[in-house]
Amino acid sequence: MADVDPILADFITAHRAGDGPDPDEYLARVDGLDRRELEALIDGYLARAPGRPWNPDAFRGSSAERLVTALAPSLTGQAGLWPTVLPQLRDQAQLKRAELVEQLAAELGVSEQREKVAGYYHEMEVGSLPPAGVSQRVLEALGKIVGQSADALRRAGAALEAAGEGPGGVPVFARTALQDPSYEHSLASPASAEGPDESWDEVDELFRGGA
Amino acid sequence: MPRWSPGVRGSRSNQVHRDVSETAPGARQTPRPLAPFRKLTEFQIDALSDEEILEYIRRARLAGEADTTRVALAILVYRHMDEIERRVRRKAPAHLVEEIASMAFTAAIVAAMRGAEIEISFRAWLFKIVDRRGIADYFRKHESDPDVRPLPEEHDGDDDVWGDVNAIADETGHIGTMELIESVLAELNPVHQAVVDLHVFQAYSAKETADLVNEREDADPGEAMTEPNVNQIASRFRARLRAALDESDTS
């Protein structure tokens, strides 16, 4: 035990000095049970150590900013993690959005309405399309394209708020700043529609009709 | 069981006395009320504890304050990203570090939004996700199917990420150090937990620890903590921790 204390003290001193010490370098100085104990003590210290103070300049361009950019739309939308997950899956599938939309429309048998599908898919990615309305058929088709199961996509779209935080959960946020202008035209129809009417068609049913 | 919430030496507000005298055991699980919701400056948000920022984010979301939600999220993520990436870097190749760290943050924040309880600290929670699921899941899935990556959503449920938090073994049977520390701490009463937190994990001297514990609102004036008491409690904890580590190695 006596061997562990000065090493822990060295680590804490280096950490508080902002040196970003590597725990493995300190753990290498002991072995066996001493090593396990030192690892636990370092973990316990790190779990309680204060984090970095906010620095907007350092934040810009950092991995933290990239995560916030990906995650924030999920927190401010109404589609669970779709705004975070769907762009990631599309990237992993190495598809541009237009390519994915084309494949999705084809899978759904509505290639002639590709623009309308594009509008709805855009709403899925920005979190403004209620997941409950998106049919299983759409999720299965989308899952096939990006390599995920429909169930996994459904779970990803589940609401983020705790049970009992109010009917309807989080309000829909104004997202004009996030929207791709190229989709303005195609968004107009599905996003502004109040419900089934004479213009309601198969694509509306697929993305807003549920089931 | 109520648990001593860790002090924050060198915290943004640097209010050591507040941490000890005003933060009762378990207070981290119940952040101070922030209602009614009002916008805070970046400086004000940065002065909040992690748990208070999470509560602030919840309130900002419900109030429809998208920009405020993003700012608070940015401050929280920036606060811990370097330490989480450093932890991931110890076990994963460099090109996977950001992805795994981001997955851990996503899982923790989503679970927090859904009302999951933070037991020790937000960072400890992130550590556990990284240790127990993040890295293990990533490599398992890549080894079995290199084309399939885990969805963040796969990690956000209480059962999935946390399960029964005490002494849960991971897929290799290894019990994480965070779980071991928590389980040994849980054997202590709140005052002794405070002593261990301050003296063992935050490196306060025995005298500082005794003074801070004696300033607690619930301190018993008839049983003042002394330096020898602190040393004895710390020594017993260390011995118990070593025994638990030894048991986990041989079990």
Side-chain angles (χ1 to χ4, degrees), chain B residues 150-212:
Chain B
L151 284 169
E153 172 66 9
E154 293 177 350
H155 303 269
D156 77 341
D158 286 355
D159 292 339
D160 199 6
V161 176
W162 294 107
D164 181 8
V165 294
N166 285 331
I168 290 284
D170 67 16
E171 290 81 355
T172 65
H174 172 72
I175 296 176
T177 53
M178 299 305 299
E179 279 87 358
L180 264 175
I181 292 169
E182 287 178 31
S183 66
V184 176
L185 266 176
E187 296 170 3
L188 306 179
N189 67 43
V191 173
H192 288 196
Q193 287 179 19
V195 168
V196 169
D197 240 35
L198 292 165
H199 186 56
V200 177
F201 292 123
Q202 299 188 67
Y204 283 98
S205 70
K207 183 177 187 319
E208 287 174 317
T209 301
D211 290 345
L212 290 168

Side-chain angles (χ1 to χ4, degrees), chain A residues 5 15-16 24 34 36-37 40 43 46-48 51-52 54 63 66 75 85 155 158-159 173, chain B residues 12 42 61 66 78-79 83 85 87 90 98 114 121 123 151 153 177 181 197 202 238 242 248:
Chain A
D5 290 337
H15 189 268
R16 286 181 176 163
D24 287 335
D34 285 343
R36 287 275 281 143
E37 184 189 15
D43 269 1
L46 288 175
R48 291 157 176 80
R52 290 183 293 187
W54 174 237
S63 56
R66 288 190 287 277
L75 293 182
V85 168
R155 286 198 304 274
F173 286 65
Chain B
R12 268 135 227 96
E42 292 182 9
R61 293 179 68 221
Y78 179 79
R79 183 179 288 182
E83 209 60 66
E85 287 189 329
R87 191 175 190 85
R90 292 172 63 193
E98 182 175 340
R114 288 178 173 160
S121 70
R123 182 180 286 176
L151 284 169
E153 172 66 9
T177 53
I181 292 169
D197 240 35
Q202 299 188 67
R238 293 279 296 274
R242 278 180 75 89
S248 74

Side-chain angles (χ1 to χ4, degrees), chain A residues 82 129-136 138 154 200 203-211:
Chain A
W82 280 357
L129 188 67
V134 179
S135 69
Q136 189 72 6
V138 168
R154 180 72 73 191
W200 184 270
V203 177
D204 295 314
E205 188 66 28
L206 283 166
F207 285 89
R208 295 175 59 209

Side-chain angles (χ1 to χ4, degrees), chain B residues 64 66 76 117 124 140 143 158 161 172 200 247:
Chain B
L76 182 65
E117 185 178 280
R140 185 176 65 241
E143 284 167 6
D158 286 355
V161 176
T172 65
V200 177
E247 288 168 15

Side-chain angles (χ1 to χ4, degrees), chain B residues 2-76:
Chain B
R3 185 168 297 167
W4 167 252
S5 42
V8 191
R9 186 173 202 172
S11 66
R12 268 135 227 96
S13 55
N14 204 24
Q15 293 179 352
V16 171
H17 292 277
R18 190 197 98 185
D19 295 329
V20 176
S21 62
E22 296 181 12
T23 309
R28 284 281 177 147
Q29 292 93 318
T30 310
R32 286 171 296 165
L34 296 169
F37 179 79
R38 64 182 176 88
K39 282 189 177 182
L40 300 177
T41 65
E42 292 182 9
F43 179 79
Q44 290 171 320
I45 296 171
D46 195 35
L48 299 176
S49 71
D50 297 338
E51 292 71 21
E52 288 167 339
I53 292 180
L54 286 166
E55 177 63 16
Y56 184 73
I57 291 172
R58 273 191 288 268
R59 288 170 180 272
R61 293 179 68 221
L62 291 171
E65 297 284 354
D67 291 343
T68 305
T69 298
R70 191 183 191 284
V71 169
L73 178 66
I75 291 171
L76 182 65

